[in-house]
Amino acid sequence: MGETLLPKRIALPVFASDPLSSVAYSPDEIFLTLALAGVTAYTFSWKIAIVVGFVMLAVVLSYRQNVQAYQSGGGDFEVASTNLGAKPALTVASALLVDYVLTVAVSISSAAQYLATTVDFARGHEVLIAGAAVLFLAAMNLRGVRESGTAFAIPTYIFIFSMLGMVCWGLGQHFLGGGLGRAESADLQVIAEPEFADGFAGVAAAFLLLRAFASGCATLTGVEAIANGVPAFRKPKGKNAATTLALLGAIAITLAMSIVALANIIHAQVVEDPEHQLRGPNGEVLVDYHQAPLVGQIAHVVFDNFPPGFFLITLSTGMILLLAANTAFNGFPVLASILAKDGYAPRAFAARGDRLAYSNGIVILAGFSILLIVAFDAEVTRLIQLYIVGVFVAFTIGQAGMVRHWTRLLKSERDPVVRAKMQTSRTINAFGLSVTGIVLVVVLITKFTHGAWISIVAMAIAFLLMTGIRRHYDNVAIELAADERDRVLPTRVHAMVLVSKLHKPTLRALAFAQASRPNALEAVTVSTTDSDTAELLKQWDERNLPMPLKVLHSPYRELIRPVVEYASAIRDANPRGVVAVYIPEYVVGRWWEQFLHNQTALRLKGRLLFTPGVMVISVPYQLASGKERAEEMREEYWLAPGLRRGSDGRR
C-alpha cells in the first residue's frame, strides 16, 4: 500500500478533476438561468461569478484546516462524528454519498454532450455513451489507485494547460490585439419569460439571480473529495493535501471567472430550451439548431484561424469531464468503507480487493450512476437541479464541527503560540461556516421545486438505511455475546441423512454421519411416488445398511415441508437436544452445471436455517467436472510465483 501513495503532481488530477471540470458546465448554468429574463440579464453573470469565486475561496481556506486536523480519510463525516455526534455525522455521510453519485452522473452526461457537439454520430446516443463511460471508469478504478492515478494525470494536465492557454490567448487578443470576434449565437434573439416582459427588476429578478448563483456554485463540487482522500497522499499527508487544495482552488477560480468573462466578451448565448427560447436574427424559427456549450463557443472564436486549438479544447474538455467522475470513484468507496467499519454500512464495503481498491463501493457507485443517467436521459440541465444540495449540507455541518473542534482544543491548550494558531484556524472555519450556511439556504430555496427535493429524499433514505444497519449490527452483537449458558453441551444429537437415491453421494453422507457418532442416526426419504419408494426400500434391504430408513409420505409431492416438520417435531420432543441434518450435494466444475443440480438442497437449507435447534451439514461429492476444476486450482496454487520447488519438480 505504501507504493500506491500519491505525490502531489498525481494527487491533483486524481482528486481535483471534478471541481476543475465543473468550469465546463457551471458557467453555462449561470447563463442558462439568466437567459430566462432575456439577454439583458447576462450583464449580471460576471458579478455572480465573482461571488461564486469568493465562496470557493472561503471553502478552500476552511478545508485546508480540515485536512491537516483530520487525516484518516473521513473528511466531514469524521469531523462531525467526533465533534457533533452520530446524527450530524450520518447527515453528512448521506449527503456525500448522494452527491458522489450525482457527480458521476453529471460529469459523464456532460462529457457525452461535449462528444455529441464534436462528433455527429454521437448525437442521440448520449445515454449509451455515458453508461459505457461509467463502466470504463469503474474498470479502471478496480485496477487499483496507482494505475488509475497515472492514467488520469496526463489528460487532466492537458485540459488545465489548454484551457489556460485559451484564456490567455483570448484575453490577450481582446486587450492587446485586434479584439475577439462574436460568437455564432451572438445575433440570435432570446425570448424572455412572461414575468420579465416589462424588464429585469423586482422580486422575480432577485430570485432568478439567487437561482443563477446557486447553479454556478456547482464549481465547488468535489472539494470535499480531497478531505476524504488524505490517506492516499504521501507523507506529510496533511500538508500535501492542503497544498493540493490550494492549487485546486486557484486554478478552478481562475478558469471559471475567465470563461464567464470571455463569454460576455464574445456575446455568447445559451438557453435551456433552444427550440422555444431562441429565434433567428430576423425572428425566424430555428430548425435543427444545435446549441454548443460556452467553452465550445469560446474556443471557436479564440481559435478561429487555428482549428487544431478548437479540437484540443473540446476533446480535452470532454476527457476531463469523463475523468471528473474519478473523484467520486476515489471518495465514495473510502467513505463507504469508513461507514462500514463504524457499522453504518454493510461490512463488505470495508474490504479491499486484490488490487487494494474498495471494489464493492466502486461497483455500487457505478450501478447507481448508470441508473440516474438512464432515468434523466443524460441531460445535464435536469441533473444539475439535484446537484449541490448534498455538498453544501456537508460543507456547513463540517465547518460547524471544525469550530467545535478548535473550541474544545483551546480549553486545554496553554501555549500562547499554539493558541494563536488555533484561534486563527477557528476564525477561518467560522467564516466558512457562515458562508456555506448562507449558500445552503439559497440553494434550498431556489432549487427545491426544480429537483433538489429528490436529493433531499435520497439523503433521508440513506440516513434511515444507515441507522437501520447500525441498529441491526448492535442487536446482533448483543445476541452473539457469549455467556456461561453457551458452555452447556446438547443433551442429545439426533442425526438424519436425507436420501433420494441409494448412490455414492448418499453412501458417503451415511458414512460421514456414522463417523460423527450421534446419539441416534437414521436415514430419511420423502415418498412422492410409490414405485420409487418401493425400489429404494428394496435396495436398502439388499445392502443391509446398519441404520433405519424413515419414509415421510407426501401425497401432494412436497419435498421441503415434510422434512422441516419432521425435524421440528424431533427438536420439540427434546428441547435441549440438537437435530443434525446431513444433505448430500454434488460439486460441479462448470458454472452452468450449477443450475442443473442441488436446487432442492438449496431450498431445503434455506428453510432449515430458520428452524431452531437444527443444524445443516452439507456432504460434498465431486463429479468429474468438479474434480477436474479442483486439479486445475491445485496446479495454479503450486505454480504460483514465489513458492518453493519440491522434489517432484513442482514449485
Side-chain angles (χ1 to χ4, degrees):
M1 289 186 62
E3 296 176 358
T4 68
L5 297 179
L6 304 176
K8 293 189 292 293
R9 67 180 183 275
I10 300 297
L12 177 63
V14 167
F15 292 106
S17 55
D18 178 20
L20 291 180
S21 69
S22 63
V23 302
Y25 54 81
S26 58
D28 292 63
E29 295 304 316
I30 295 175
F31 279 74
L32 287 168
T33 306
L34 293 176
L36 296 173
V39 178
T40 55
Y42 281 169
T43 56
F44 291 91
S45 60
W46 64 271
K47 300 173 185 177
I48 293 174
I50 291 176
V51 179
V52 171
F54 171 77
V55 174
M56 181 72 163
L57 179 63
V59 170
V60 169
L61 288 175
S62 300
Y63 268 83
R64 280 174 56 84
Q65 317 307 313
N66 290 40
V67 298
Q68 296 187 74
Y70 293 89
Q71 300 180 15
S72 67
D76 288 321
F77 172 75
E78 183 182 6
V79 172
S81 61
T82 303
N83 300 287
L84 301 177
K87 290 185 178 179
L90 287 185
T91 303
V92 169
S94 60
L96 288 177
L97 292 175
V98 171
D99 214 72
Y100 279 136
V101 176
L102 283 166
T103 295
V104 177
V106 170
S107 299
I108 296 297
S109 298
S110 185
Q113 290 187 1
Y114 265 88
L115 182 62
T117 300
T118 308
V119 184
D120 291 339
F121 78 82
R123 296 180 185 178
H125 301 90
E126 288 87 349
V127 174
L128 181 62
I129 293 170
V134 173
L135 293 176
F136 167 76
L137 280 179
M140 288 294 294
N141 279 276
L142 288 172
R143 288 285 300 165
V145 175
R146 183 173 58 180
E147 287 86 344
S148 62
T150 303
F152 297 151
I154 296 175
T156 304
Y157 280 123
I158 291 175
F159 169 78
I160 293 173
F161 289 116
S162 61
M163 288 291 291
L164 289 175
M166 182 186 73
V167 167
C168 293
W169 183 251
L171 294 177
Q173 282 183 290
H174 178 69
F175 291 108
L176 304 176
L180 287 173
R182 291 167 61 86
E184 292 181 354
S185 62
D187 297 325
L188 301 179
Q189 298 180 20
V190 178
I191 302 174
E193 294 293 314
E195 59 264 34
F196 299 105
D198 298 328
F200 188 65
V203 177
F207 187 83
L208 191 68
L209 289 175
L210 289 175
R211 184 179 161 193
F213 164 71
S215 297
C217 284
T219 307
L220 280 76
T221 57
V223 173
E224 76 287 347
I226 291 182
N228 292 335
V230 175
F233 284 80
R234 287 183 179 174
K235 295 181 180 181
K237 295 179 182 292
K239 182 179 179 181
N240 288 338
T243 303
T244 304
L245 198 54
L247 290 171
L248 152 70
I251 297 172
I253 292 172
T254 300
L255 291 180
M257 296 183 66
S258 299
I259 294 299
V260 173
L262 286 171
N264 280 291
I265 290 172
I266 66 173
H267 303 284
Q269 299 179 151
V270 288
V271 296
E272 289 186 7
D273 188 358
E275 183 178 353
H276 297 96
Q277 290 182 262
L278 287 180
R279 292 293 183 270
N282 299 318
E284 69 273 15
V285 177
L286 300 177
V287 180
D288 295 331
Y289 174 74
H290 180 75
Q291 178 175 268
L294 286 180
V295 171
Q297 295 188 41
I298 293 170
H300 189 272
V301 174
V302 172
F303 298 113
D304 187 32
N305 298 318
F306 186 61
F310 168 77
F311 285 107
L312 178 63
I313 290 294
T314 53
L315 290 176
S316 64
T317 302
M319 184 63 71
I320 191 65
L321 284 165
L322 174 67
L323 302 185
N326 185 63
T327 303
F329 275 103
N330 280 279
F332 183 99
V334 172
L335 178 58
S337 72
I338 293 172
L339 290 169
K341 292 173 184 175
D342 289 344
Y344 291 109
R347 287 171 180 158
F349 287 115
R352 292 182 183 267
D354 58 351
R355 305 293 296 186
L356 298 180
Y358 293 109
S359 307
N360 295 314
I362 292 171
V363 172
I364 291 295
L365 175 60
F368 278 112
S369 301
I370 292 175
L371 184 64
L372 266 182
I373 289 170
V374 173
F376 287 85
D377 203 28
E379 293 183 10
V380 177
T381 303
R382 294 173 60 193
L383 284 167
I384 205 74
Q385 307 305 324
L386 285 66
Y387 214 13
I388 308 171
V389 178
V391 170
F392 278 95
V393 167
F395 283 171
T396 304
I397 296 177
Q399 295 314 304
M402 287 301 297
V403 172
R404 182 77 176 271
H405 166 79
W406 298 121
T407 301
R408 177 167 49 82
L409 293 183
L410 281 167
K411 291 180 180 179
S412 58
E413 184 59 54
R414 296 292 179 264
D415 190 327
V417 177
V418 177
R419 284 183 61 85
K421 292 181 179 179
M422 289 182 177
Q423 288 171 342
T424 301
S425 297
R426 184 173 65 173
T427 301
I428 293 173
N429 286 125
F431 172 67
L433 170 63
S434 60
V435 171
T436 55
I438 292 171
V439 175
L440 176 60
V441 172
V442 171
V443 169
L444 289 174
I445 292 174
T446 59
K447 284 184 169 287
F448 185 83
T449 58
H450 294 275
W453 66 270
I454 299 176
S455 294
I456 296 173
V457 170
M459 289 164 53
I461 293 173
F463 183 94
L464 293 175
L465 280 175
M466 287 188 287
T467 54
I469 290 171
R470 176 58 185 265
R471 189 182 307 114
H472 168 77
Y473 280 140
D474 288 344
N475 292 337
V476 169
I478 293 172
E479 191 171 350
L480 295 181
D483 55 31
E484 288 301 317
R485 290 176 298 176
D486 298 307
R487 298 170 60 91
V488 179
L489 296 175
T491 57
R492 180 179 177 83
V493 176
H494 187 110
M496 47 189 288
V497 180
L498 299 186
V499 177
S500 59
K501 296 180 180 179
L502 199 55
H503 46 28
K504 290 182 178 180
T506 299
L507 294 175
R508 173 173 291 186
L510 290 169
F512 180 67
Q514 277 186 295
S516 64
R517 298 184 181 278
N519 299 101
L521 172 61
E522 64 178 342
V524 176
T525 186
V526 178
S527 175
T528 58
T529 305
D530 292 341
S531 59
D532 291 343
T533 305
E535 179 63 24
L536 177 61
L537 290 171
K538 178 182 176 182
Q539 295 177 5
W540 196 270
D541 291 336
E542 289 176 351
R543 283 190 173 269
N544 194 26
L545 294 171
M547 71 285 297
L549 174 62
K550 178 78 172 182
V551 179
L552 305 177
H553 291 279
S554 179
Y556 298 104
R557 293 165 299 282
E558 289 185 275
L559 296 175
I560 309 299
R561 182 182 298 179
V563 175
V564 174
E565 291 178 348
Y566 182 60
S568 299
I570 296 174
R571 163 67 174 177
D572 293 341
N574 186 8
R576 293 183 59 189
V578 169
V579 179
V581 181
Y582 292 81
I583 304 178
E585 290 193 62
Y586 304 132
V587 177
V588 295
R590 301 177 182 88
W591 65 269
W592 55 268
E593 293 177 331
Q594 300 288 346
F595 299 102
L596 305 178
H597 302 282
N598 302 323
Q599 301 307 310
T600 302
L602 184 63
R603 289 186 288 121
L604 180 59
K605 284 192 290 186
R607 287 286 302 276
L608 289 174
L609 285 174
F610 291 93
T611 306
V614 176
M615 297 183 178
V616 182
I617 300 96
S618 294
V619 183
Y621 185 86
Q622 291 182 337
L623 298 176
S625 61
K627 293 177 181 177
E628 292 172 4
R629 179 58 183 154
E631 184 62 30
E632 291 174 4
M633 295 178 67
R634 192 177 299 113
E635 289 291 335
E636 291 174 5
Y637 171 78
W638 283 109
L639 296 178
L643 294 178
R644 295 181 179 178
R645 184 177 297 277
S647 58
D648 60 352
R650 293 181 175 181
R651 291 185 183 180

